[in-house]
Amino acid sequence: MKSISFKLAGAFFIFTLIIESVLFVTLYSSIVDTRINEEVQALQKRGNSHRDVLEKHFDQRTIEHVALMETEAETNVIITDKNRRVLAQSVPGDIKEHLHVEQKNIPRAGIALSNHLNTSKYICTISPIMKGEKTSGYVFMFLETSSIQALVQSITERFIISFGLTGIFTLIAIFLFSRFLTKPIIKLKKTTENIINGRNDISLDMKRTDELGELAASIENLSSGLNRLQKERNDFLSGVAHELRTPITYIKGYADISMRNGLDEKSRNKYLSIIKEETDNLARLVDDVFLLTKMKQPSFTIRKEPVHLHTFIAKEVQKSQIAYSEKRISLSFYAPKDLYASLDEKRFSQVITNLLNNARHYAEPDTKVAVTALKSKGNIIITVADEGCGIPEEERGLIFERFYRIDKSRSRQTGGTGMGLAIVKEIVEHHGGTITVKGRYPKGSEFVITLPAKDK
Ligand SMILES: Nc1ncnc2c1ncn2[C@@H]1O[C@H](COP(=O)(O)OP(=O)(O)OP(=O)(O)O)[C@@H](O)[C@H]1O
Ligand SMILES: [Mg+2]
């Protein structure tokens, strides 16, 4: 199975199983060692206490008495002289073979021979019976290893049961935990698949505040961003198609008329000049669309450099002067001589040209248009104010959108496609600035560009 919950549970289980095994084995061996040591020490203690009695009375009566005492106990004793000849023993039998001990000098505290646990029938301790500095005999104590093995066996059985139960509980816990963890991931995966398949109405409805909740919120944002983009693209395409339709209809219509027989030279020229004008409009529209699309690309950059605003605005005003004079609109400007702004001059020239063209188009003859630049609160403010028809308040936010025109028919006469302010806004924003428009009293509009005085 390839599912993430299975992989996660499997990995967790193997990991915990290894840790549990190490812990169980360590605990098991330390418990078993402790229990065996306890048994051996008890045996040694018992041997030593017999030895203590025998040191005081090393006579036949006491020796036999000690041996007799052990016949009733689980343990056995053999008492020997210093040459390991048996003086008394609690059970008859082959137990004597254990009397052979390599070690010569046995300390008074005695020694334990517990390492025979698996190979021999008994574990054994030796306690020397001392008389002054000399050894006069030995007390050998024996405990059958079968009793210790039974003890070890019962500990082992308990450990195996506990280990099995822990393993089962761990497996269940890990499975439930991994399901809990992976369920939202699977939901997110399904949702992204839906987005890929073009479904827009996604709602994850995850009320989590952790990373998965954040991921869900990001996916929802991504989806709504995609929707917006899709809508923008559709609007843009239908806008372009709509703007193309009118000039193409004009061009086709006037081309048909121009081709009619018997048309006089004057009329033909008039129709051809309309075709030329519409073709120019088309070319301008295509240029604008191309420029705007280019500016929307993340790779688009502008090259800013310090620009002396007085010189820059004077030049822009100069360029528009003739067209303004033709419409008898006065064009003035003001900018302090020491004011600089960081601009891409070529692009920003397009901003001022578009605003001046609009002011001229939408203003009546014998009115005034003024361009000003000044510094205020750390920003550079450039304004273009006219005494034209003005823009209704509710449409002031909309005119910066592509293809948006207030009066479609009137704009048509001027050849406007509604792209000018969209391009202006894009360029200003690429400079880190903003553009707004406000009304003027008694009539007219004022476009206000705010640019940061210093580059960030
Ligand atoms: N100074 C102004 N006074 C009144 N209305 C304006 C002014 N400037 C712009 N507008 C309105 O805003 C609309 C959008 O302007 P924009 O410059 O984007 O498009 P356009 O001038 O119609 O066409 P284009 O600039 O692409 O040739 C215009 O159609 C016009 O209705
Ligand atoms: Mg315009």
Side-chain angles (χ1 to χ4, degrees), residues 27-241:
L27 193 63
Y28 170 81
S29 44
S30 87
I31 288 178
V32 167
D33 283 352
T34 316
R35 292 295 290 125
I36 292 172
N37 268 341
E38 277 170 10
E39 293 292 327
V40 172
Q41 270 165 21
L43 194 66
Q44 180 85 68
K45 215 169 146 197
R46 205 172 163 88
N48 285 358
S49 72
H50 290 326
R51 186 265 322 275
D52 292 345
V53 173
L54 290 168
E55 271 181 354
K56 283 185 197 131
H57 309 282
F58 198 47
D59 51 38
Q60 197 54 34
R61 223 177 117 236
T62 317
I63 291 168
E64 273 168 15
H65 182 73
V66 168
L68 189 68
M69 267 185 351
E70 284 300 326
T71 52
E72 296 305 315
E74 218 183 292
T75 50
N76 293 306
V77 68
I78 295 180
I79 301 155
T80 68
D81 66 9
K82 63 177 185 234
N83 299 319
R84 312 228 172 134
R85 268 201 309 272
V86 177
L87 302 174
Q89 66 183 77
S90 60
V91 277
D94 59 352
I95 210 163
K96 279 186 223 155
E97 71 190 56
H98 299 283
L99 300 186
H100 176 73
V101 179
E102 301 280 313
Q103 202 168 330
K104 287 275 174 293
N105 295 322
I106 296 168
R108 197 178 130 71
I111 57 166
L113 305 171
S114 56
N115 51 349
H116 308 168
L117 192 62
N118 293 321
T119 53
S120 143
K121 222 174 138 192
Y122 300 99
I123 55 167
C124 163
T125 65
I126 310 170
S127 315
I129 305 165
M130 311 287 285
K131 200 147 220 167
E133 288 298 298
K134 287 191 176 156
T135 308
S136 51
Y138 298 98
V139 175
F140 286 83
M141 291 296 298
F142 296 93
L143 176 68
E144 279 193 56
T145 49
S146 59
S147 73
I148 293 183
Q149 268 154 1
L151 178 83
V152 172
Q153 171 103 19
S154 103
I155 295 176
T156 311
E157 275 166 15
R158 276 184 226 172
F159 262 85
I160 289 173
I161 292 171
S162 321
F163 187 73
L165 286 177
T166 321
I168 292 168
F169 286 130
T170 314
L171 191 64
I172 294 171
I174 287 175
F175 182 71
L176 292 177
F177 179 63
S178 69
R179 279 290 298 259
F180 168 75
L181 261 186
T182 53
K183 218 170 145 191
I185 297 179
I186 292 166
K187 192 173 171 189
L188 293 178
K189 179 182 153 258
K190 285 202 179 123
T191 310
T192 45
E193 276 169 4
N194 283 343
I195 296 175
I196 292 167
N197 293 333
R199 275 197 48 195
N200 303 330
D201 54 335
I202 68 138
S203 158
L204 278 155
D205 196 26
M206 267 202 209
K207 291 177 184 64
R208 305 171 65 125
T209 49
D210 55 9
E211 286 85 348
L212 284 174
E214 284 170 17
L215 182 61
S218 304
I219 290 177
E220 277 177 345
N221 285 345
L222 186 72
S223 157
S224 59
L226 277 175
N227 281 347
R228 208 185 52 243
L229 272 181
Q230 215 165 24
K231 188 177 172 303
E232 258 178 37
R233 193 191 57 188
N234 291 346
D235 289 353
F236 183 58
L237 284 177
S238 64
V240 172

Side-chain angles (χ1 to χ4, degrees), residues 284 354-355 357-359 361-362 414 416-421:
R284 206 162 62 87
N354 277 3
L355 292 178
N357 281 348
N358 278 353
H361 281 147
Y362 303 107
T414 64
T417 54
M419 289 292 276
L421 287 179

Side-chain angles (χ1 to χ4, degrees), residues 284 358-359 362 386 389-391 399 404-407 411 415-421 445 447:
R284 206 162 62 87
N358 278 353
Y362 303 107
D386 63 55
C389 57
I391 298 159
I399 53 168
Y404 193 87
R405 292 174 309 209
I406 295 170
D407 183 342
S411 304
T417 54
M419 289 292 276
L421 287 179
S445 322
F447 285 85

